Amino acid sequence: MARIVHFSNFFVYMEQAEHQFLRHVGLSVHQKTDQRTISWPRVAASCNYIQPIRFEDLIRIEVGIERLGKSSVTYQFNFFREHPPIDQPIADGKLTAVCCAMDTDQGMHSIPIPDTFLQALRPYQLESPYNLLE
């Protein structure tokens, strides 16, 4: 009714940006490898709101990796306005996901991030964010 995006949608946008980023580097949040199926359940999410997104606003989301741990990755998301005044900050958020194996006999359990995944993710540690257009 106020013609602004509900705050909860920022989390949906972060998840969509994460999925697009992973596809960009040849990965997925649910991926089969030679030995097992790997998934990335989220264990933490936060968002700091600077200003609202309004109806028909175009936004850009920059995705970078803040922390690449032994079995987890923390993404940093920066939201910007894409129309005058351009590059106006809207929000910033974080999402932490844990690398898990989905074994039928043991259920889901965390595992170290496979080397092939680390190699794909390392170039995007905060120095080189991947820009997404919404």
Side-chain angles (χ1 to χ4, degrees):
M1 292 182 74
R3 298 181 53 118
I4 63 173
V5 172
H6 191 267
F7 77 92
S8 62
N9 287 314
F10 284 78
F11 293 94
V12 173
Y13 299 154
M14 287 190 288
E15 183 179 45
Q16 291 171 344
E18 175 203 18
H19 288 202
Q20 187 171 341
F21 166 75
L22 289 172
R23 284 190 302 273
H24 172 75
V25 299
L27 302 175
S28 175
V29 292
H30 188 87
Q31 185 168 343
K32 291 183 189 260
T33 65
D34 292 337
Q35 303 157 348
R36 57 180 65 160
T37 299
I38 292 178
S39 186
W40 296 86
R42 284 60 161 193
V43 296
S46 65
C47 190
N48 299 305
Y49 307 98
I50 299 167
Q51 57 183 283
I53 298 174
R54 300 198 181 280
F55 179 69
E56 293 199 12
D57 277 354
L58 298 176
I59 62 169
R60 180 179 80 244
I61 302 171
E62 293 182 353
V63 180
I65 295 175
E66 180 179 276
R67 182 180 177 280
L68 195 53
K70 180 180 176 184
S71 61
S72 67
V73 59
T74 300
Y75 299 99
Q76 172 71 44
F77 301 89
N78 295 305
F79 293 73
F80 295 94
R81 198 168 311 287
E82 277 291 298
H83 54 81
I86 200 158
D87 286 338
Q88 193 174 27
I90 297 170
D92 60 79
K94 293 182 184 180
L95 187 144
T96 300
V98 174
C99 185
C100 288
M102 298 176 62
D103 298 325
T104 54
D105 56 336
Q106 298 176 359
M108 185 183 291
H109 59 280
S110 67
I111 59 169
I113 300 172
D115 287 336
T116 55
F117 287 59
L118 289 172
Q119 290 171 8
L121 296 173
R122 274 197 187 110
Y124 297 94
Q125 287 184 282
L126 283 179
E127 304 80 44
S128 306
Y130 172 64
N131 296 326
L132 298 171
L133 290 177
E134 280 292 316

